[in-house]
Amino acid sequence: MAAKKRYAMVIDTKLCIGCGDCVVACKMENEVPEGFCRDWIVESVTGVFPNLHMEYRSERCNHCSNPPCVHACPTGASFVDDESNITLVDPDMCTGCKACIAACPYDARYVRPEGYVSKCTFCIHRVREGLDPACVASCPTHCMHFGDLNDPESNVSKLLESRPFKVLAPEAGTEPNVYYLI
Amino acid sequence: MWGNSCQGLGVEALQSGSGNAFKWAGRDLIISRPECAPPFGIGEAFPECTIQPYLETDMSVNRREFIKIGALGLGSMSLAPKVFEWGPSAAKTFPVQPGDVVTRAPTYCEICFWKCAGWAYTKNGRPWKIIGHDEDLHSHGRLCTRGSSGLGLYNDPDRLQRPLIRVEKDGRQTFKEVSWDEALGFIAERLQALKETHGPESLAMFSHGNGAVHWKTLVKAFGANCIAAPSFAQCRGPRAAGFYLTYGETVGSPERTDIENSRCLVLIGSHIGENLHNGQVQEMSKALDRGTEVIVVDPRFSVAASKARHWLPIKPATDVALLLAWINVILEEDLYDRDYVARYTVGLDKLKEAVRENTPEWAYPITSIQPEVIRETARLMALHAPATLVHPGRHVTWYGDDTQRSRAIAILNALLGSWGRKGGFYLPQSAHVPAYPHPPFPKPAWSPCDFTRALYPWALSPVASHVRDMTLDPPDPEKQIKAWLVYGSNLIYSLPQPEKTIAAVQKLDLMIAVDILPSEITGWADVVLPECTYLERYDDIRTSPGRVPQIAVRTPAFEPAYDTKPSAWMVKKLAGMMGLDDYFPWADMEEYLDHRLQQVGSSLEEMHELGVKTLPSLGPNYFQPGEEVTFNTPSGKIELYSQQMADAGFDPIPRYTPHAEPPDGFYRLLQGRSPFHTFSRTTNSPIFTELMPENELWINPQVAADWGLKAGQYVKMQNQDGKTSQFPIRTRITERIRPDCVYMVHGFGHSDPRLKRGFGRGADDNEMCTTVKIDPLMGGTGRRSNFVTFITEGV
Ligand code: SF4
Ligand code: SF4
Ligand code: SF4
């Protein structure tokens, strides 16, 4: 068995332009139904004209190391893949009760028209084949990075070593694995 | 259903659009679908039966590469059980399942003019996704948001499905669905009649996009040569003229801007990042990552401004003053590239003289930019020169003196020595692929373009708005434009003053529209030819310029849906009916492309495999140190001072001219792009309408407070000429814009209910631009001298 991975995404807010290509690429790759998305863009503007600061963030499931959705799931459908640290949903076990949706502080989950919950999978079907997730591979600014934080030589480990970063809602204690370079 | 509200609108449009709504002599805007076609409601599924993927048997004809998942490196056929030991059930939701058959076909994108090469994928014969081609110099393997959503065009349930001919029924005009034979026969007959009554020169074509190539050949073979694209006089024409007058060359498309290597990038109103000109976006990101100094001049805190170290929130319409002040500082402080200027340019002394008074202190009250900021940024530009790029912009038809502004930008670059230098403007190369031979075209006895050139000496391309105006009001009664062929260009949105466009159409004997969607202009046509999308057809070879020559092909990834056809097929058939076969001596696009590709040592078969092919470099991308260069200008030098402009009665060196100011309670209307849309072309896409269903009117909070406007409230706009917007628009109250202007994204507020998703969503900036400032040098139509106020009652 391969060594355990801790997959993470590192997104450079200094480069992200909020173009939404990551959103579309995900929708196409993963055939996300109309009206839903697994990733989305947040634009945050602070200051008063003309002294302004703006940050774009491409957000999605944080594949938290301490995932409240999994803890909340009464059926065991939401689970963490032990080998990759990716949070997934088993459609056969999911009853669509939405406990996980209520528990997730990031609003990452939605109920598919078929009745089970879905969300970002970190494109594990691609990652296992050595490809970047679809969103990462499409981003025209190259501001998204994907890799294994258990490997100190990985691009993501090195970026977090060399640049200041933040995570979303750290106070929730979820230990997110999507990092934003600031 | 869309019935009731739209019918009301239709009646309104009929009354304002046409004096005699029910007579054949005048054209009515036809807004209803042909009776036999079932109207799909918003959100209803695209009927499955209309997607006709290639059968597997077609693979043998080498239409595209057939790829098993394994061959693509996506893993083995038994993907899920083998790989996902931990949860085969969860894996059921993954997009690729064991046994899925994935294929891909090379294409290049047609959602915008950047033409990125990519691969269109199918899964089990159904369209799946489009991704960039790694070797492509336009996209580097990453399509932009719009390109990634190209399937939205293919899947649009509102697509034109069958040829349509305008007929009169029960006293009303309507479209009748007809066969291709009937539609093309109708055109052939009417064009023949046109030739006899008014001469072939009376046919004018409007076009946008690569699919137009065979139509252009047909128009020329017919004996006409007036082929206009709004992309000149409504967009980048002033830049072309300004740079041509200075360097004897234009900047081209994709632009020869060496952003990747720039150490200082100056953007003047150019909102790269919101306009997703893919290569430029990628290069700007690389530059930002390297810590490139970015200076953004924009009344709006654009995305680029938010990345820049220096944002100059200039008062709109005063850019020329800032440019002259920068030139002044660079000359007064002796910061220019002395060797470059001495070697390559003429007119330095005259330039010095001309800008002597244009100090930063002079510019300050005009532009509202502090003198020290002007000095500091000018010094930064000089510090990094010649790797300083003062970007020429792209959509630059603003105030009517746009060629002069582009000249100022060109001159500033020349002083910095950036033209032909690393980090400035590189020397582009493009592949020369010989044309498929055909007989020489007949020489037209006259051309509408002659009138244009007489009026606008540096109209380097036909001026679409002038062609329209000449149709309405012929400069010579013997030389009238009596037929239009409109290819892929929604003239109601792309030309200013849409009521003039509609009036011009009324004067035509024949109006042909070739389009994919029922865009507004098709509602005025006599015959509508439904083209298949770029994903369903071959097109000509992409040979656009870049740092090295490269070719790319577009091949059909899917069979044309409905009864749509590629233009090559339509034109060839029509040419046959018109006796113009000789100009199309190829059997089909496969033969046409293969013949052309063979001449550069490739073949269609090879290109199906490769998608893009990079050809050997033709030489260096930059001037060599001390190299003697002859420029294509009258003096052979870069013309800081332009004698030919002086001779023609224009300012030989740009001067600042003040523009009209908004009246009290009005705000200058600025327009721009969104990463989710290309012009008005994508506003009906099912994918995009999810991301950005409508545009918003950006309003500074101070202004909102004055008017008591709330965020997200719908208002109507009214302009200085009393024109009220047809549809309301939502307010976006934001600090990101100055209080003296408002901003909206172009291309929304569709008035044709056949575009179900775009109809009435947001507002159309074009209809608010009743004042148009014409650039006397090249005929450009500046639209930024329009001012709007808000109507909140009864919205
Ligand atoms: S594609 Fe990249 S630049 Fe665009 S919004 Fe997503 S993360 Fe940001
Ligand atoms: S990792 Fe994959 S599933 Fe998650 S947001 Fe990106 S593209 Fe979508
Ligand atoms: S920039 Fe985007 S829309 Fe334009 S050609 Fe490239 S991928 Fe297509």
Side-chain angles (χ1 to χ4, degrees):
Chain A
M1 249 207 39
K4 275 196 183 183
K5 310 263 194 227
R6 193 174 137 221
Y7 283 123
M9 209 175 266
V10 175
I11 303 174
D12 191 344
T13 62
K14 296 266 187 225
L15 298 182
C16 175
I17 54 172
C19 70
D21 204 358
C22 47
V23 178
V24 171
C26 175
K27 281 184 77 82
M28 302 311 292
E29 171 74 21
N30 295 303
E31 299 170 321
V32 179
E34 187 167 339
F36 300 101
C37 54
R38 292 179 174 192
D39 55 346
W40 60 92
I41 309 297
V42 174
E43 173 187 311
S44 94
V45 183
T46 46
V48 174
F49 178 94
N51 300 306
L52 296 168
H53 174 80
M54 180 161 69
E55 178 181 284
Y56 281 111
R57 288 188 308 271
S58 170
E59 297 188 0
R60 58 189 48 60
C61 167
N62 281 277
H63 295 276
C64 307
S65 295
N66 181 24
C69 53
V70 173
H71 304 323
C73 177
T75 65
S78 278
F79 68 102
V80 177
D81 168 43
D82 202 34
E83 192 190 311
S84 60
N85 199 56
I86 290 177
T87 309
L88 291 168
V89 181
D90 183 329
D92 290 345
M93 293 168 77
C94 176
T95 58
C97 76
K98 302 186 190 167
C100 57
I101 293 182
C104 171
Y106 306 105
D107 199 16
R109 296 172 163 241
Y110 59 90
V111 185
R112 278 188 61 103
E114 296 86 339
Y116 61 86
V117 163
S118 186
K119 62 164 199 68
C120 166
T121 59
F122 261 1
C123 279
I124 184 67
H125 66 286
R126 288 172 59 92
V127 171
R128 295 293 294 242
E129 305 305 327
L131 299 166
D132 270 334
C135 53
V136 175
S138 74
C139 171
T141 67
H142 294 247
C143 76
M144 312 175 80
H145 308 267
F146 186 83
D148 176 15
L149 282 184
N150 283 345
D151 172 5
E153 292 304 306
S154 69
N155 58 348
V156 284
S157 298
K158 286 186 166 162
L159 280 165
L160 294 187
E161 197 132 293
S162 60
R163 296 265 307 264
F165 62 84
K166 66 176 178 190
V167 293
L168 299 179
E171 67 283 357
T174 55
E175 298 169 41
N177 283 303
V178 176
Y179 297 81
Y180 295 92
L181 301 177
I182 46 177
Chain B
M1 286 299 291
W2 45 270
N4 297 332
S5 56
C6 308
Q7 292 299 351
L9 172 89
V11 171
E12 218 176 86
L14 284 176
Q15 283 165 355
S16 59
S18 157
N20 41 5
F22 302 113
K23 288 226 305 276
W24 172 249
R27 268 175 198 76
D28 302 343
L29 170 64
I30 300 180
I31 53 168
S32 58
R33 277 177 168 272
E35 283 145 41
C36 35
F40 308 116
I42 294 176
E44 277 175 47
F46 185 60
E48 310 247 332
C49 55
T50 53
I51 300 178
Q52 302 159 346
Y54 276 177
L55 299 173
E56 285 202 21
T57 47
D58 278 358
M59 301 300 165
S60 56
V61 300
N62 208 2
R63 283 234 169 91
R64 61 184 166 169
E65 203 182 342
F66 183 83
I67 306 159
K68 287 245 156 50
I69 295 169
L72 252 188
L74 284 179
S76 71
M77 296 291 283
S78 54
L79 190 66
K82 187 164 150 257
V83 177
F84 304 105
E85 306 106 10
W86 32 260
S89 175
K92 268 206 272 197
T93 62
F94 295 166
V96 187
Q97 294 295 318
D100 279 350
V101 177
V102 175
T103 69
R104 63 177 194 178
T107 185
Y108 59 86
C109 182
E110 183 70 22
I111 304 293
C112 91
F113 41 74
W114 208 260
K115 304 191 191 108
C116 299
W119 300 100
Y121 278 76
T122 68
K123 194 171 65 184
N124 302 327
R126 299 286 306 264
W128 178 19
K129 62 179 178 180
I130 313 169
I131 60 171
H133 190 306
D134 286 337
E135 257 111 87
D136 174 35
L137 296 173
H138 297 218
S139 72
H140 306 283
R142 292 165 183 239
L143 299 181
C144 84
T145 319
R146 299 157 304 155
S148 298
S149 320
L151 282 175
L153 186 61
Y154 173 81
N155 281 334
D156 194 326
D158 295 340
R159 276 175 65 174
L160 294 166
Q161 304 189 358
R162 281 164 206 90
L164 304 173
I165 287 183
R166 175 181 295 262
V167 293
E168 190 161 318
K169 196 177 161 207
D170 305 332
R172 279 203 67 139
Q173 294 177 15
T174 184
F175 279 135
K176 182 176 113 190
E177 289 191 341
V178 296
S179 68
W180 279 99
D181 276 343
E182 192 176 342
L184 297 173
F186 173 86
I187 295 172
E189 197 178 295
R190 297 292 285 268
L191 282 176
Q192 189 54 39
L194 182 83
K195 198 173 206 163
E196 279 153 24
T197 48
H198 299 283
E201 298 84 359
S202 61
L203 169 66
M205 176 174 172
F206 298 87
S207 88
H208 195 280
N210 250 33
V213 51
H214 301 302
W215 287 107
K216 291 180 182 172
T217 306
L218 184 78
V219 167
K220 290 183 203 158
F222 181 64
N225 71 356
C226 178
I227 301 172
S231 52
F232 181 74
Q234 280 64 55
C235 191
R236 57 198 168 99
R239 174 186 90 178
F243 275 70
Y244 179 77
L245 282 161
T246 312
Y247 296 98
E249 278 182 86
T250 66
V251 288
S253 177
E255 287 83 0
R256 46 161 75 182
T257 46
D258 199 13
I259 299 174
E260 184 168 52
N261 294 305
S262 297
R263 286 200 295 260
C264 177
L265 171 64
V266 186
L267 302 178
I268 300 163
S270 173
H271 51 351
I272 299 179
E274 283 155 285
N275 77 42
L276 278 189
H277 306 161
N278 196 344
Q280 295 203 3
V281 172
Q282 297 196 21
E283 290 194 26
M284 185 172 85
S285 191
K286 271 193 200 167
L288 284 167
D289 206 24
R290 273 194 293 106
T292 291
E293 202 74 61
V294 179
I295 300 166
V296 172
V297 180
D298 203 314
R300 197 173 56 93
F301 191 60
S302 63
V303 171
S306 77
K307 307 291 180 196
R309 210 160 300 152
H310 306 271
W311 172 41
L312 282 53
I314 193 168
K315 182 173 168 194
T318 67
D319 311 82
V320 175
L322 175 67
L323 284 159
L324 294 178
W326 272 340
I327 292 172
N328 170 288
V329 173
I330 283 171
L331 291 174
E332 292 293 317
E333 298 190 7
D334 235 351
L335 299 173
Y336 62 95
D337 187 328
R338 284 181 154 268
D339 177 63
Y340 184 96
V341 169
R343 193 183 292 274
Y344 296 135
T345 72
V346 288
L348 179 67
D349 291 340
K350 288 190 175 124
L351 178 66
K352 277 187 177 162
E353 189 50 42
V355 302
R356 198 172 301 282
E357 309 291 315
N358 303 132
T359 59
E361 285 69 22
W362 164 82
Y364 172 46
I366 300 173
T367 59
S368 83
I369 307 298
Q370 301 275 355
E372 52 274 28
V373 174
I374 299 179
R375 286 213 163 77
E376 188 195 348
T377 45
R379 288 172 193 148
L380 276 173
M381 289 182 220
L383 177 71
H384 295 291
T388 293
L389 175 72
V390 186
H391 196 283
R394 185 156 180 134
H395 179 269
V396 289
T397 41
W398 299 348
Y399 304 110
D401 61 350
D402 307 302
T403 301
Q404 291 286 12
R405 186 182 64 254
S406 294
R407 271 271 293 157
I409 292 172
I411 290 167
L412 180 57
N413 277 299
L415 295 176
L416 297 165
S418 65
W419 183 266
R421 307 282 284 280
K422 190 168 180 178
F425 295 82
Y426 64 80
L427 308 175
Q429 309 182 351
S430 42
H432 175 64
V433 185
Y436 200 107
H438 59 71
F441 295 124
K443 196 170 156 21
W446 60 277
S447 168
C449 302
D450 300 340
F451 296 107
T452 305
R453 269 191 297 269
L455 207 54
Y456 308 117
W458 282 280
L460 305 177
S461 300
V463 172
S465 40
H466 191 227
V467 174
R468 188 261 325 260
D469 293 350
M470 287 189 288
T471 307
L472 192 57
D473 195 3
D476 176 344
E478 298 299 306
K479 298 175 177 173
Q480 298 203 26
I481 298 169
K482 294 305 277 184
W484 284 6
L485 166 61
V486 183
Y487 177 88
S489 178
N490 191 4
L491 299 182
I492 304 293
Y493 282 72
S494 54
L495 296 184
Q497 298 162 319
E499 62 293 339
K500 277 196 189 176
T501 307
I502 292 165
V505 172
Q506 301 298 343
K507 300 208 111 183
L508 298 174
D509 286 354
L510 177 64
M511 153 74 171
I512 308 160
V514 187
D515 215 323
I516 292 166
L517 289 169
S519 63
E520 279 76 3
I521 192 68
T522 63
W524 298 102
D526 295 316
V527 48
V528 180
L529 303 179
E531 195 182 30
C532 57
T533 69
Y534 69 103
L535 296 166
E536 305 157 283
R537 66 183 200 232
Y538 284 109
D539 261 324
D540 215 339
I541 303 158
R542 187 195 81 184
T543 56
S544 339
R547 291 180 175 92
V548 287
Q550 190 178 60
I551 55 173
V553 290
R554 178 182 285 158
T555 68
F558 331 122
E559 280 286 357
Y562 314 109
D563 196 12
T564 63
K565 298 283 183 196
S567 275
W569 181 93
M570 298 181 215
V571 173
K572 197 162 159 60
K573 201 165 163 73
L574 183 55
M577 295 175 173
M578 293 169 68
L580 298 171
D581 292 284
D582 290 357
Y583 292 91
F584 305 92
W586 31 270
D588 53 21
M589 276 304 277
E590 273 107 328
E591 189 202 320
Y592 172 90
L593 290 171
D594 194 52
H595 177 91
R596 293 197 70 198
L597 288 164
Q598 299 274 358
Q599 295 180 76
V600 286
S602 183
S603 67
L604 186 57
E605 189 180 349
E606 181 187 65
M607 291 306 287
H608 264 286
E609 195 86 18
L610 297 180
V612 305
K613 187 170 183 179
T614 305
L615 304 178
S617 168
L618 304 171
N621 284 127
Y622 309 110
F623 296 155
Q624 302 304 295
E627 182 181 341
E628 286 310 317
V629 180
T630 307
F631 295 86
N632 179 35
T633 55
S635 63
K637 302 271 186 192
I638 300 171
E639 303 201 332
L640 307 178
Y641 176 93
S642 171
Q643 188 60 49
Q644 54 174 340
M645 290 175 78
D647 293 346
F650 295 100
D651 287 333
I653 289 170
R655 269 190 319 134
Y656 169 68
T657 22
H659 296 294
E661 295 284 328
D664 263 359
F666 283 76
Y667 307 88
R668 189 182 298 274
L669 178 63
L670 304 178
Q671 315 86 4
R673 305 279 184 232
S674 141
F676 307 126
H677 290 289
T678 306
F679 322 135
S680 58
R681 200 186 276 183
T682 46
T683 27
N684 201 57
S685 159
I687 300 170
F688 286 125
T689 42
E690 261 187 87
L691 294 176
M692 183 181 183
E694 62 191 71
N695 56 358
E696 296 171 315
L697 191 63
W698 294 37
I699 302 168
N700 179 284
Q702 270 179 39
V703 176
D706 290 350
W707 285 82
L709 295 175
K710 286 190 222 38
Q713 161 182 3
Y714 282 94
V715 297
K716 280 195 173 183
M717 295 172 287
Q718 187 169 65
N719 79 359
Q720 73 287 341
D721 298 328
K723 171 87 184 173
T724 306
S725 60
Q726 187 177 4
F727 300 111
I729 182 168
R730 270 166 81 106
T731 58
R732 172 174 182 173
I733 315 293
T734 174
E735 297 285 350
R736 289 178 60 194
I737 189 158
R738 286 173 61 103
D740 51 5
C741 50
V742 292
Y743 169 84
M744 64 194 280
V745 168
H746 170 69
F748 286 81
H750 278 282
S751 56
D752 195 322
R754 293 177 300 168
L755 296 167
K756 293 197 205 66
R757 290 167 195 260
F759 173 75
R761 288 301 204 60
D764 170 24
D765 56 306
N766 200 28
E767 65 168 348
M768 301 316 294
C769 298
T770 45
T771 295
V772 175
K773 298 284 182 193
I774 307 278
D775 191 321
L777 284 146
M778 46 60 70
T781 50
R783 298 190 309 148
R784 292 200 178 166
S785 293
N786 288 280
F787 313 106
V788 298
T789 189
F790 318 107
I791 299 179
T792 51
E793 298 292 311
V795 173

